[in-house]
Amino acid sequence: MTDTRKPVESMLTDYDIFEPSFVANPYPGYSEIRESECPIARTERYEGSWLPTRYEDVVALAQEYEIFTSRGILVMPPPPGQAEGAYGGVAAPPITSDPPDHHWHRRLILPVFAPQAVAKYEQSTRDLCNALIDEFIDKGTADAAADYAQHIPVRVISNMLGVPLDMEETFTGWVRGVLENMTDMELRKRSRLAIIEYFLAQVEDRKKNPRENDLISELMNTEVEGKKVPIEYVLGVCNLMLVAGIDTTWSAIGSVMWHMAQHPEHRKQLRENDDLWPTAIEELLRVYAPVTMARIVDRDIEFQGCPMKAGDRVLMAFPAANRDPRQFENPDEVILDREHNRHVAFGSGIHRCAGSNLARLEVRVALQTWLARIPEFELVDPATVTWAGGQVHGPRSCMVKF
Amino acid sequence: MKVSVDMGSCHGHQMCAIAAPEVFGSDELGNAKVLIEGVIPAELEGKARRAEANCPERAIIISE
Ligand code: HEM
Ligand code: SF4
């Protein structure tokens, strides 16, 4: 496919988050904006948006949820004729909810993701990582993104939801349709509809054949103020589990694998010092934060000198915030035992990632399991690594040899 | 030294529990729970400060 996009005139007034070199490596662009006289850039592309790049600004925006609302959270506007957020009455609570509903939308799912609750997925995650490695360990080469990272979160989530594992490829396709290939409006619409229809059928099936111990059934039986939660909520949460839990985590795992393939000294440090793991995972999440969200401005307001209008889209560039030298010393360097790390890879404020404890567990187990079996490995050719970006940043193909 | 958490600002990053697992844990929602009521033992003060310095919501309050 030839690229017909207009060349970017200036990062400050014409950034393009889907431009291939920015997708592959957005950090120089963020840095250019952050260190300019106007650290909040503007573009008219994709119906226009603002891009704050300083830690302080991103965090301040996240705290002001009444002005910067979550009624649209994708970095691109919806297809023509479709509302922001909801699709056929089904949104993705709590990520697309604003207060006051946000509170119960979030409250209901938090217990499922508390550290003590996700610990029970550790062994099954380790087993599935080992099974993936079994497939390629004798070949001496593998795609760390497509053969490994990509398969981990989708299987963990399918297991949690209680849906068959053979849906893996289908789920992955839908999630990419919604999040990665979002410039293709038709595909995006079809993917969202397919997700909702699939979970509607799952709910219907559970009505006829009740089950226990899966999240869909648990959600269906949840009550708020004495009434069962509406079906739109159940479908919305299932939708969110796919779109928030899969692409994000697989991108983080992929970036971590890409990093480790190039840094034998970090592999050695982790091998030799078990105590390093907790800070190391946070540091890797800081540097390779995969997720950028959006907000919709509720009313005309001037923010840091920028004249924002009601309805404008603001991109919450958590990956840019995480590399702000005002907040992090040597921000582009991976320091596995970094002392001060208030990173916002999982966001900030009331929408902060509900699934972070599960995500951390998956990233840690994926890397631990790999390093235990494949301690030494390197990139086959750095030039052939391919990336996705825009909403979610991470490698899509990353060949390594060992 | 004593520690407390402003539960209105805490959004469950769990960075505190990662930095100082002896001092901070998690409630059933995954938000912070202070595990040591009263004075923090001297040998844990460093870790408690580190927890404070890692909380993205600045929800941890340290009083001397
Ligand atoms: C490394 C992996 C992940 C990253 C980097 C990540 C990042 C984020 C970010 C930045 C937000 C904030 C959204 C906003 O401000 O609008 C968020 C929200 C959320 N994430 Fe994650 N996420 C990850 C994995 C997961 C997983 C595995 C799940 C669950 C299965 C999950 C579930 C959620 C939910 C439910 C919310 C919405 C919370 C709310 O609106 O109250 N995430 N995530
Ligand atoms: S790090 Fe801060 S926001 Fe996170 S759980 Fe601890 S106190 Fe709460």
Side-chain angles (χ1 to χ4, degrees):
Chain A
M1 206 172 73
T2 51
D3 194 17
T4 52
R5 65 188 68 234
K6 253 193 326 108
V8 171
E9 281 169 16
S10 150
M11 280 308 285
L12 300 186
T13 55
D14 187 37
Y15 64 81
D16 181 350
I17 53 169
F18 292 104
E19 190 273 314
S21 72
F22 185 80
V23 163
N25 180 11
Y27 307 108
Y30 289 146
S31 174
E32 186 185 332
I33 299 169
R34 200 192 294 111
E35 303 312 322
S36 78
E37 70 286 359
C38 182
I40 302 177
R42 170 77 199 169
T43 193
E44 301 312 321
R45 292 174 193 249
Y46 315 112
E47 296 179 30
S49 63
W50 300 92
L51 179 63
T53 51
R54 289 196 184 170
Y55 182 91
E56 201 185 342
D57 290 341
V58 173
V59 169
L61 280 157
Q63 302 295 331
E64 294 286 348
Y65 53 80
E66 286 177 354
I67 302 170
F68 303 103
T69 71
S70 289
R71 65 180 79 118
I73 41 102
L74 293 180
V75 296
M76 265 194 73
Q82 191 186 314
E84 292 276 3
Y87 192 89
V90 177
I95 216 166
T96 46
S97 319
D98 285 311
D101 283 347
H102 173 265
H103 181 75
W104 75 263
H105 286 171
R106 179 176 172 95
R107 172 76 181 70
L108 288 187
I109 59 164
L110 282 180
V112 180
F113 294 110
Q116 52 281 26
V118 300
K120 66 168 179 281
Y121 299 107
E122 173 145 357
Q123 190 54 47
S124 53
T125 306
R126 205 170 286 279
D127 293 344
L128 88 84
C129 290
N130 270 314
L132 290 168
I133 296 172
D134 288 341
E135 295 283 318
F136 52 68
I137 191 157
D138 294 332
K139 294 188 198 146
T141 166
D143 189 327
D147 297 338
Y148 191 59
Q150 181 178 330
H151 300 283
I152 299 167
V154 63
R155 293 190 190 181
V156 172
I157 297 280
S158 302
N159 182 10
M160 268 181 108
L161 287 169
V163 298
L165 280 183
D166 61 14
M167 285 301 290
E168 178 183 335
E169 265 182 55
T170 313
F171 283 165
T172 304
W174 290 341
V175 170
R176 299 183 87 155
V178 175
L179 286 180
E180 279 180 29
N181 307 319
M182 56 167 79
T183 46
D184 180 343
M185 294 286 183
E186 274 311 307
L187 176 69
R188 192 166 148 196
K189 246 159 96 171
R190 263 204 323 276
S191 305
R192 289 197 66 174
L193 195 61
I195 293 175
I196 295 166
E197 281 174 352
Y198 178 77
F199 285 110
L200 189 60
Q202 291 288 317
V203 167
E204 291 305 324
D205 182 56
R206 280 167 182 71
K207 280 189 191 153
K208 283 187 229 119
N209 313 298
R211 298 199 216 166
E212 278 168 36
N213 293 332
D214 76 32
L215 187 58
I216 301 179
S217 308
E218 260 179 60
L219 287 166
M220 288 168 63
N221 294 324
T222 304
E223 294 187 356
V224 173
E225 291 169 358
K227 280 203 307 222
K228 289 254 168 81
V229 296
I231 175 94
E232 288 81 6
Y233 176 78
V234 176
L235 298 176
V237 172
C238 294
N239 174 32
L240 179 63
M241 294 283 288
L242 294 198
V243 294
I246 294 182
D247 216 55
T248 51
T249 315
W250 132 41
S251 298
I253 297 171
S255 292
V256 166
M257 298 306 303
W258 176 78
H259 176 88
M260 287 296 160
Q262 300 170 85
H263 290 274
E265 75 286 10
H266 288 160
R267 300 198 298 262
K268 182 161 177 287
Q269 266 180 290
L270 284 171
R271 244 191 338 263
E272 290 173 356
N273 184 0
D274 256 348
D275 296 339
L276 200 56
W277 280 88
T279 52
I281 295 299
E282 296 311 305
E283 174 67 347
L284 291 162
L285 285 165
R286 178 187 71 80
V287 173
Y288 297 111
V291 178
T292 300
M293 298 297 290
R295 294 289 185 271
I296 304 293
V297 180
D298 181 63
R299 49 182 180 271
D300 294 2
I301 181 180
E302 190 173 298
F303 182 83
Q304 299 288 35
C306 298
M308 298 182 176
K309 296 266 174 282
D312 277 2
R313 192 174 298 268
V314 182
L315 307 187
M316 306 293 283
F318 300 116
N322 274 356
R323 293 196 186 210
D324 184 348
R326 290 158 198 78
Q327 178 67 24
F328 302 97
E329 266 176 53
N330 302 323
D332 294 321
E333 210 178 304
V334 172
I335 303 170
L336 294 180
D337 59 353
R338 190 179 280 277
E339 281 258 349
H340 292 177
N341 189 358
R342 293 186 208 266
H343 77 80
V344 286
F346 294 117
S348 166
I350 63 169
H351 288 285
R352 197 205 65 91
C353 183
S356 61
N357 300 306
L358 181 64
R360 285 177 173 130
L361 180 148
E362 291 182 52
V363 175
R364 173 174 56 79
V365 170
L367 181 57
Q368 279 174 340
T369 312
W370 179 290
L371 288 182
R373 298 189 56 190
I374 310 177
E376 295 304 334
F377 61 109
E378 59 187 314
L379 295 180
V380 169
D381 173 6
T384 60
V385 176
T386 62
W387 298 83
Q391 189 99 35
V392 184
H393 174 75
R396 290 299 170 262
S397 172
C398 178
M399 289 303 298
V400 298
K401 57 182 184 207
F402 36 87
Chain B
M1 174 203 267
K2 290 184 179 180
V3 301
S4 59
V5 175
D6 168 7
M7 294 312 286
S9 320
C10 171
H11 293 297
H13 290 249
Q14 288 294 314
M15 309 279 281
C16 51
I18 290 168
E22 299 87 349
V23 185
F24 298 95
S26 150
D27 67 11
E28 80 286 2
L29 297 181
N31 291 326
K33 184 162 101 185
V34 177
L35 302 177
I36 302 181
E37 299 296 339
V39 178
I40 303 295
E43 70 276 14
L44 292 177
E45 284 188 2
K47 280 194 172 182
R49 274 186 224 288
R50 185 162 172 165
E52 193 279 328
N54 280 276
C55 171
E57 309 288 346
R58 299 180 185 262
I60 295 174
I61 303 152
I62 291 191
S63 50
E64 304 291 334

